[in-house]
Amino acid sequence: MLVALPARLVASRWAPWMLLVLSVGSRVVITLAGTSPYNMIDLKVYVEGARHLTGGSLYDFVSGASQLPFTYPPFSALVFTPLAWLPWTVVRVLWQLAMLASLPAIVYLTLRLLGRAGPGATDPVRPLRGFLVVATALAFWLEPVTTTVGYGQINLFLVLMVLGAAVTAKDLLAGAGVGLAAGIKLIPAVTGLYWLVQRRIRALILSVVFFLATVAVMFAMIPAETRRYFTKLIFDPSRTGPVFSAINQSWRGALSRLAGHDVSAGWVVACVVTVVLGVWAAVVAAGVGDRAAALLAAQFLGLLVSPISWSHHWVWVIPLLIWGFFGPQRQSRAVRGLMIGWLIALYSYLIPFLVALQGKVPSNSRPGWQSWLGTAYVVLGVATLIVIGVVGRSSAAPVEAPGRGSGPRRGVGPEAGNLDG
């Protein structure tokens, strides 16, 4: 994404904005032409879930021609209630604008974690505004981002909440960010590993408190539906969609496609190994003061072991690419190779291609080459954990203690100048 950001392009007063207009404008044309295959169907589920919040049918209704059920924690339906008051066209426009605005914020917060932006940055990226605009234009066409926009998903906002929590030095805000994000969609709870390796126990406790508060609020409002979700539906991944679909880029999806049936023992073994690998990578990264890498290790661990990780859940590749090309380990050959692999997988749109080949009703039976290509994000995700751990161990001497908050921290590895030289 960002390996060859030309200094003149980024430094120009108008070229970054022209690139952004071209990037976003092409998306608008595609949407208006009606060629987008998704039409924000997930956003429709969110909005309709808000409308079914108090009617006793939150987990029984289905939305649209795809017959999609509401699969999220009940708190998310409450969060989306304001959108249920607006016309659908207005909701779509506002949601797409918000998703676009989230991209530079994600890039900026990642740079903050790296000590390359914000107050007291040790190695600031300059010019920051041009960098953010160009990065937004390029990130907009990463496959997970494009698919998130097409579906009208919430993933970008969850990444933003977690990054904001990781950057802030205030444990109350950090706990609120992660706890509320987990209340909306459970997977951000994996950030607890990051709090542990950063020794931010108070932030961890507050994250749990805020999450439990979301459960308590919903139990008070809709006790039957809340109890049903947390005692039954939460253990039924089949409600979210077919495990065999190529868009499911988790260990369970990849192994099930390779085996030709829904795996059980093999998936558990893979998850155990991945947990060990992810914890190791996070500990190593935290030990050398690389907070961005430690956070990425936790998030990629969650994506790999979750029963369902649709390709649009992998929007954490945005912070990963920023870390790889502008982080403390950017001179490492292993990191460069990893970034090249991710760029090929993301910009080739391999996963949507495989989804189109499998048809509307995914089967456990498919050509072997499709099954192997369908492991792309899983293989790269595991490689990411390995690279984070290996380059962390081979880097310079560790800092005195894991950092906390948004203060700058000098990265390990070779120092590099600003983007403009």
Side-chain angles (χ1 to χ4, degrees):
M1 180 180 68
L2 298 166
V3 66
L5 282 181
R8 291 184 179 179
L9 170 64
V10 175
S12 171
R13 292 184 177 181
W14 58 268
W17 296 104
M18 291 295 295
L19 181 62
L20 181 62
V21 169
L22 178 63
S23 177
V24 177
S26 58
R27 177 71 198 188
V28 172
V29 170
I30 290 174
T31 300
L32 293 178
T35 56
S36 173
Y38 306 124
N39 203 26
M40 306 191 81
I41 56 177
D42 283 354
L43 178 59
K44 190 74 171 179
V45 175
Y46 298 150
V47 174
E48 292 188 10
R51 292 171 179 160
H52 286 82
L53 178 60
T54 58
S57 58
L58 180 59
Y59 294 107
D60 295 311
F61 81 92
V62 290
S63 174
S66 299
Q67 299 288 286
L68 297 176
F70 190 83
T71 61
Y72 311 94
F75 181 70
S76 60
L78 179 63
V79 170
F80 280 95
T81 298
L83 295 184
W85 304 334
L86 302 174
W88 174 236
T89 300
V90 174
V91 171
R92 290 185 64 189
V93 172
L94 291 177
W95 198 252
Q96 291 190 61
L97 290 174
M99 285 190 287
L100 177 63
S102 72
L103 292 175
I106 288 171
V107 174
Y108 175 74
L109 289 174
T110 305
L111 291 174
R112 287 285 302 272
L113 277 180
L114 293 170
R116 304 211 62 186
T122 57
D123 185 17
V125 168
R126 296 192 183 115
L128 180 60
R129 182 175 63 182
F131 180 92
L132 293 177
V133 173
V134 173
T136 299
L138 297 178
F140 198 61
W141 286 97
L142 293 169
E143 185 276 321
V145 176
T146 300
T147 307
T148 288
V149 173
Y151 280 128
Q153 261 283 346
I154 197 173
N155 307 305
L156 290 170
F157 304 118
L158 297 178
V159 172
L160 192 58
M161 292 175 71
V162 172
L163 279 172
V167 164
T168 182
K170 298 179 180 180
D171 288 332
L172 180 62
L173 294 178
V178 172
L180 294 177
I184 296 171
K185 200 169 185 177
L186 296 175
I187 192 63
V190 75
T191 310
L193 170 60
Y194 175 74
W195 297 143
L196 284 174
V197 299
Q198 290 296 119
R199 303 176 190 172
R200 295 187 65 177
I201 305 304
R202 189 165 181 265
L204 173 61
I205 294 173
L206 287 170
S207 297
V208 175
V209 169
F210 274 96
F211 171 72
L212 293 179
T214 68
V215 178
V217 168
M218 300 316 299
F219 193 85
M221 291 183 60
I222 48 173
E225 293 290 80
T226 302
R227 184 184 302 108
R228 180 184 175 196
Y229 177 82
F230 284 103
T231 61
K232 181 180 178 181
L233 301 181
I234 194 175
F235 303 108
D236 183 12
S238 65
R239 277 180 54 85
T240 62
V243 172
F244 297 102
S245 177
I247 200 173
N248 181 16
Q249 290 295 301
S250 69
W251 265 123
R252 184 174 181 179
L255 292 176
S256 296
R257 290 188 294 271
L258 289 172
H261 59 84
D262 193 2
V263 295
S264 54
W267 173 55
V268 172
V269 172
C271 287
V272 171
V273 173
T274 303
V275 168
V276 173
L277 182 61
V279 171
W280 168 73
V283 169
V284 170
V288 296
D290 194 343
R291 294 187 294 146
L295 181 62
L296 288 167
Q299 304 305 324
F300 275 61
L301 166 61
L303 290 167
L304 289 166
V305 303
S306 175
I308 299 289
S309 288
W310 304 133
S311 71
H312 52 77
H313 294 170
W314 288 80
V315 287
W316 277 99
V317 294
I318 303 172
L320 174 69
L321 292 171
I322 298 297
W323 172 82
F325 290 126
F326 296 94
Q329 307 290 356
R330 56 190 176 274
Q331 301 297 333
S332 165
R333 290 184 179 179
V335 172
R336 289 178 177 179
L338 178 67
M339 295 301 103
I340 291 172
W342 271 114
L343 289 176
I344 293 173
L346 295 167
Y347 280 121
S348 69
Y349 283 71
L350 173 63
I351 303 306
F353 170 72
L354 294 174
V355 170
L357 285 180
Q358 73 184 8
K360 293 184 178 180
V361 182
S363 169
N364 59 341
S365 177
R366 68 193 69 209
W369 66 271
Q370 291 186 29
S371 297
W372 284 106
L373 285 177
T375 65
Y377 289 8
V378 175
V379 170
L380 286 168
V382 173
T384 298
L385 297 179
I386 294 173
V387 168
I388 287 174
V390 170
V391 299
R393 283 181 60 87
S394 61
S395 65
V399 294
E400 293 181 0
R404 55 179 289 156
S406 58
R409 177 171 294 275
R410 185 168 299 278
V412 295
E415 290 293 329
N418 297 329
L419 189 65
D420 58 356

